Amino acid sequence: VSLASLSYSFNRPEGYGPQHYWVESVWRAFDRPGLDVFRSYSCRPANDPMFCSRKWWGKKGCIVENFERNMARQFPQEQVLGLFSSDVPNDMLTRRYNFKTWVRHPPYWKKLVEEQAFPVSKVNWKEMIDSIDDERLRTCTQYLDRSGLDRFDFSAAVTAL
């Protein structure tokens, strides 16, 4: 495996199925050749069109399309692995909860947490946080020892992905 990620999806704007396989960027890991592919694909000048400077697209949609979905396309599918399915089962889609991945579907997210110990949450979705009584969500990362990060120079991070 050259690219591994926390979650995977078969959903793309143009369709659904194994041919549309991609992995979300949360907690990605690469082997050495995979890291080389990632760097050559992602390290671009700030004015590169892949950063979608056009206002109508939206930064989040641009990042998902260009640096998550299309990143997975840089590898043969058998070299890409996601641990959890992001895709909401059809029987859980409703009028109220019609988004097809966990990021905007609190009931599916809750199922992932309770049945598979899914380790992340969208902190800006209060309905997700309030629906689970779990110590991990109460502490989140606020007590994380960040002293190991002190040696990094983040001054160039303004233009980093």
Side-chain angles (χ1 to χ4, degrees):
V1 172
S2 289
L3 166 58
S5 178
L6 183 66
S7 53
Y8 65 92
S9 178
F10 291 135
N11 275 311
R12 286 197 60 152
E14 64 273 10
Y16 177 85
Q19 70 276 22
H20 299 293
Y21 187 85
W22 63 281
V23 291
E24 292 184 291
S25 62
V26 177
W27 293 340
R28 285 191 287 198
F30 300 92
D31 65 2
R32 173 52 83 188
L35 187 58
D36 292 340
V37 170
F38 172 79
R39 277 195 307 237
S40 89
Y41 179 81
S42 299
C43 296
R44 298 167 178 270
N47 64 349
D48 190 286
M50 281 187 48
F51 290 114
C52 302
S53 59
R54 296 182 298 212
K55 302 259 187 250
W56 60 268
W57 183 299
K59 286 289 186 190
K60 177 63 176 164
C62 173
I63 290 169
V64 169
E65 187 60 32
N66 290 331
F67 295 99
E68 292 184 6
R69 291 182 180 133
N70 289 336
M71 171 54 65
R73 301 285 176 287
Q74 304 308 303
F75 302 93
Q77 186 173 341
E78 62 275 3
Q79 291 180 9
V80 179
L81 173 71
L83 303 179
F84 298 90
S85 176
S86 293
D87 300 336
V88 177
N90 285 336
D91 65 340
M92 291 187 74
L93 295 171
T94 65
R95 183 177 299 223
R96 180 174 180 196
Y97 298 112
N98 58 8
F99 200 78
K100 295 184 177 187
T101 67
W102 75 268
V103 297
R104 291 191 191 151
H105 197 290
Y108 180 58
W109 170 82
K110 184 175 181 178
K111 179 181 172 87
L112 285 172
V113 169
E114 291 176 343
E115 295 178 9
Q116 299 180 39
F118 190 62
V120 298
S121 169
K122 296 291 276 189
V123 296
N124 58 346
W125 277 75
K126 188 168 172 46
E127 188 176 347
M128 283 185 181
I129 299 298
D130 290 346
S131 69
I132 299 282
D133 182 27
D134 188 308
E135 182 65 24
R136 293 174 297 175
L137 295 179
R138 283 192 294 279
T139 59
C140 200
T141 59
Q142 81 184 60
Y143 301 111
L144 183 67
D145 178 8
R146 298 177 190 275
S147 62
L149 299 177
D150 293 342
R151 62 188 164 97
F152 291 102
D153 176 11
F154 291 103
S155 62
V158 173
T159 59
L161 178 59

